[in-house]
Amino acid sequence: MEGNSGGGGGGGNDVELLCKTLQVEHKLFYFDLKENPRGRYLKISEKTSATRSTIIVPFDGISWFLDLFNYYVNSDKQDVFSKELQLDSKVFYFDIGENRRGRFLKVSEASVSRNRSTIIVPAGSARDEGWVAFRNILAEINEASRLFILPGQQNSEASERLVGLSDDVGAGFISGHSSQPTASDLNVERTIDLPPSDDNSNLGVSKVIRVDQKRFFFDLGSNNRGHFLRISEVAGSDRSSIILPLSGLKQFYEMVGHFVDITKDRIEGMTGANIRTVDPPQK
């Protein structure tokens, strides 16, 4: 079994952002992260010597796919169920099956705009290694997609400055930080230490987190007015920032903690909102 760079073909005005290839038994799977004027998406193609099948996963569905593959990898054989995942106008069906070659996971895409399409991922010969390898590539793509910067975007973003803060820290996009992470880097923690910027004076501390379709950059900096924390919100091409003096950081922390406490039950209830377990057929 091998995982390496590669990918399926593209077309039209779509821009190819990231490609991966995986071989499981006699099958090749191509993972192509692409972008067009309507947004980003992940194209997953299954190829055998005789057939080729493709599903199209919306960008915000990549993390859901990762969660579902984690579910099938980590669950005991007798405890797994079929699942349905609703993403916009599409529904993806996840079904476990078994034949003379062994267990497999059938993933089908149904939508009003294209015919139903299905890929079949073999579990592999030992310890579900096929599903594990598939899951690991989804994890790499999911993490890399959060950090990916399009050509020309980095300079324009990094050059932004707030009015009245000409010697402000250049938060957010750090030069050379768009490389792909390795599998060993892909843990549950999504907070990433960024290399210090030259503009950060003696502080040089930066963090970035991902929430839904937004990124939030936290950068400690200083200027002629003193030290501050700059929090930048980036969603697509839109970017906005607030500057918090360090003297107010403790109050800010306490206020955020207050809202975390009073909304804790609601936040926990959001997990898995798009996924529905399908009852097994009655025997």
Side-chain angles (χ1 to χ4, degrees), residues 124-139:
S125 56
R127 298 182 180 179
D128 296 337
E129 62 181 3
W131 294 349
V132 170
F134 200 100
R135 184 273 312 273
N136 289 346
I137 287 187
L138 285 175

Side-chain angles (χ1 to χ4, degrees), residues 23 39 61 66 70 76 81 88 96 129 150 160 176 182 216 232 235 243:
Q23 181 173 349
L66 175 58
N70 271 325
D76 293 333
F81 297 95
D88 299 326
I96 295 288
E129 62 181 3
L150 290 177
E160 290 183 1
T182 61
F216 294 89
S232 302
I243 300 296

Side-chain angles (χ1 to χ4, degrees), residues 1-4 20-31 47 122 129-130 133-134 137:
M1 181 182 309
E2 300 176 353
N4 49 47
K20 292 284 182 179
T21 302
L22 173 69
Q23 181 173 349
V24 182
E25 296 179 354
H26 64 293
K27 296 184 175 185
L28 283 173
F29 292 93
Y30 299 101
F31 301 77
K47 186 178 184 299
E129 62 181 3
F134 200 100
I137 287 187

Side-chain angles (χ1 to χ4, degrees), residues 121-176:
V121 185
S125 56
R127 298 182 180 179
D128 296 337
E129 62 181 3
W131 294 349
V132 170
F134 200 100
R135 184 273 312 273
N136 289 346
I137 287 187
L138 285 175
E140 290 185 37
I141 293 173
N142 182 58
E143 195 66 21
S145 68
R146 311 305 187 190
L147 303 173
F148 202 96
I149 303 171
L150 290 177
Q153 184 181 22
Q154 180 171 311
N155 291 338
S156 63
E157 293 283 1
S159 64
E160 290 183 1
R161 293 290 185 268
L162 294 183
V163 176
L165 292 172
S166 59
D167 51 355
D168 172 18
V169 59
F173 297 104
I174 306 298
S175 178

Side-chain angles (χ1 to χ4, degrees), residues 94-276:
F94 293 74
D95 298 288
I96 295 288
E98 191 165 0
N99 57 24
R100 58 184 176 83
R101 292 194 179 102
R103 292 202 305 157
F104 59 84
L105 178 60
K106 181 172 70 172
V107 184
S108 301
E109 172 199 342
S111 70
V112 296
S113 59
R114 62 194 299 258
N115 294 332
R116 184 162 179 155
S117 184
T118 300
I119 64 171
I120 296 177
V121 185
S125 56
R127 298 182 180 179
D128 296 337
E129 62 181 3
W131 294 349
V132 170
F134 200 100
R135 184 273 312 273
N136 289 346
I137 287 187
L138 285 175
E140 290 185 37
I141 293 173
N142 182 58
E143 195 66 21
S145 68
R146 311 305 187 190
L147 303 173
F148 202 96
I149 303 171
L150 290 177
Q153 184 181 22
Q154 180 171 311
N155 291 338
S156 63
E157 293 283 1
S159 64
E160 290 183 1
R161 293 290 185 268
L162 294 183
V163 176
L165 292 172
S166 59
D167 51 355
D168 172 18
V169 59
F173 297 104
I174 306 298
S175 178
H177 196 66
S178 59
S179 58
Q180 298 174 24
T182 61
S184 61
D185 297 326
L186 300 174
N187 297 321
V188 176
E189 180 62 48
R190 288 193 177 186
T191 300
I192 302 161
D193 286 310
L194 297 179
S197 168
D198 292 337
D199 295 330
N200 281 7
S201 184
N202 296 324
L203 297 176
V205 178
S206 299
K207 294 281 187 178
V208 57
I209 61 173
R210 173 78 187 190
V211 182
D212 296 330
Q213 300 305 305
K214 296 183 177 183
R215 286 167 294 175
F216 294 89
F217 297 91
F218 299 77
D219 298 274
L220 282 176
S222 63
N223 57 22
N224 55 5
R225 301 178 184 178
H227 297 298
F228 59 85
L229 175 66
R230 175 175 177 175
I231 304 175
S232 302
E233 172 193 342
V234 178
S237 59
D238 297 326
R239 179 184 180 128
S240 58
S241 298
I242 62 171
I243 300 296
L244 179 66
L246 289 194
S247 59
L249 193 56
K250 186 173 184 295
Q251 291 174 280
F252 196 91
Y253 171 81
E254 292 172 348
M255 187 62 68
V256 172
H258 168 72
F259 283 99
V260 169
D261 288 339
I262 66 175
T263 60
K264 183 178 180 181
D265 293 340
R266 185 179 303 177
I267 292 172
E268 290 176 349
M270 292 178 182
T271 305
N274 289 22
I275 299 176
R276 184 173 73 89

